[in-house]
Amino acid sequence: MQPLKSQKKDQPKQLWWKTGIIYELYIRSFQDSNGDGVGDLKGIISKLDYLKDLGIDCIWVTPFYKSPMKDFGYDVADFTSVDPLFGSMEDFDKLLKETHARGMKLIVDQVPNHTSDQHAWFKEARSSRDNPKRDWFIWKDAGEDGKEPNNWLAMFGGSAWEWDKETEQYYYHAFLKEQPDLNWRNPEVHQAVLEEMRFWLEKGVDGFRVDVMWHLIKDEYLRDNPDNPDYKEKEPTYNRLQPVYSTDQPEVHDVVELMRDLTDEYNERVLIGEIYLPTHQLVTYYGHDNQGAQLPFNFLLLTMDWDSKKFAIAIDKYEGALPNEGWPNWVLGNHDQSRLATRIGPAQARVAAMMLLTLRGTPTLYYGDEIGMEDVNIPKDEIQDPQGLMMPDKDLSRDPYRTPVQWDDSNNAGFTTGDPWLRLSDNYKKLNIKAQQDDPESMLSLYKKLIALRKKEPALHSGLYRPVYSDQQLLSYIREGEGKRFLIILNLSDRDCRFSSERFNFKGTVLLALHAESEGQKMNKSIDIKGNGGLIIELEL
Ligand code: GLC
């Protein structure tokens, strides 16, 4: 196979957010330093060496700003502060300094869609109809018979409109009623939020993960959303309607561009967008001429069935839909989705790790996935997540995938000396970081090997992607660049299978395998892949 002409071109210097690996760290559950049972900034500082050793390049820390914690920090009361629960501004400055000192980057969460109802802006807006900040939020008179202004639903259940008795109008909230949505049609809101972002940029943060980017602007006429004919009762009530007027409006791209103009004033900062949309809509968030988000989060690995054929198609569609110069990215887990090892099982979670770290594009890892942490069953009377509490009959609590890191086999897995805010998994005595550090076959050792190889080989972190072959079990593709070519073969089933290389004229040697005994093996006409197996083969050129 000859490299195509267009593929021989010299690659421009790659930016850190293209070649690097991002790690999401859910602050409440990472490491507690003061025994109150909740993770904090000092706790993170004490674990930076672990993250460095793992090989990640950038930490994304979930919200640590002042908050009543109705949605565990995604209800921000003051965006330029640190909640005492997580420490102080000095602690943050130290975290940033120590992260940078280790050659890593740090990005923070930016929550521009809504504030807490305890935010000074909302308190003012709510105080009277003619308050100058009234229009910073979305207020509407009651419809006929005092009804809500339209049929929009909140993500966490119920109507998205809340009646304010004092001023006799409804306000809109896409999430909890304690999270009123900002009005992004008001230019004063732009200025105010951009100033807050500038505060963190001036401190030296390396970028933002922008919360619910696709929600930012709503239809000007607040038209009713249409019904969803495919709705099933077990789903969140929000899914009863198709949110065509409440999300993903064309004007959202102007807002994203404003944010991007701001981050572009600084050197090598990145704007990441949280966006749950089908691929063809998702890629519009790269913006006109790529002046939108550099990394609109791609949640395909998180939201799709674990099926090799479907994946092969989805990857190709995604690669094909990317705008010119648009850089891909892949997300394996986050604090809103069931853990990988629970969704697809521990054996396939290893295959997923190899996929994440060999696909073209920036990988984002979720804390704990590197040791195969699983969802933890949280008894009903211990549920804390508002999504679980608001729709109790639907089993939607996100607590199970937000449990504390299992560091070692000591009390509370070394996470806290106090009572952890969320119970830990019973399996932590066996499944923990310390145990895995000493085991060359462990998930953690696998992650380290894959990360080290990805860092070492330009073909893997910056090279081209070419699909090769897929069937009911296999997914295979090539990564190539700087004079090297790797064939990755993944077995997404638990049955052994064979890859026939003859028709492609491939020859090569297995460099890294999910079953170590395959390493060093030569591939001539074909090669066998064990169930739950995966191979990275260096091809002869
Ligand atoms: C995002 C966050 C989620 C939060 C929601 C509301 O989806 O990831 O955790 O509940 O926004 O801010």
Side-chain angles (χ1 to χ4, degrees), residues 16 18-24 30 47-59 99 102-105 356-357 362-365 370 433 437 443-456 461:
W16 68 265
K18 293 188 173 179
T19 55
I21 296 164
I22 301 173
Y23 185 95
E24 177 188 355
F30 200 65
K47 295 295 184 186
L48 285 174
D49 287 334
Y50 163 74
L51 296 170
K52 178 71 188 165
D53 184 54
L54 177 60
I56 61 116
D57 301 276
C58 175
I59 309 162
T99 306
R102 285 165 180 79
M104 294 188 288
K105 308 282 185 185
L356 178 78
L357 291 159
T362 310
T364 299
L365 280 174
E370 76 274 23
I433 288 175
Q437 272 166 336
M443 182 77 111
L444 183 60
S445 300
L446 171 69
Y447 266 97
K448 282 195 191 168
K449 270 195 271 178
L450 286 165
I451 290 174
L453 184 67
R454 183 182 173 95
K455 278 184 179 305
K456 182 169 149 253
H461 62 241

Side-chain angles (χ1 to χ4, degrees), residues 156-175:
F156 291 153
S159 165
W161 295 97
E162 179 67 14
W163 181 246
D164 182 59
K165 269 198 238 122
E166 301 296 317
T167 58
E168 298 196 316
Q169 272 190 318
Y170 280 100
Y171 65 85
Y172 175 71
H173 58 91
F175 294 87

Side-chain angles (χ1 to χ4, degrees), residues 23 45 70 172 180 275 287 346 389 428 496 523:
Y23 185 95
I45 299 173
K70 296 278 180 196
Y172 175 71
I275 302 150
L389 294 172
Y428 82 77
D496 298 353
M523 177 181 72

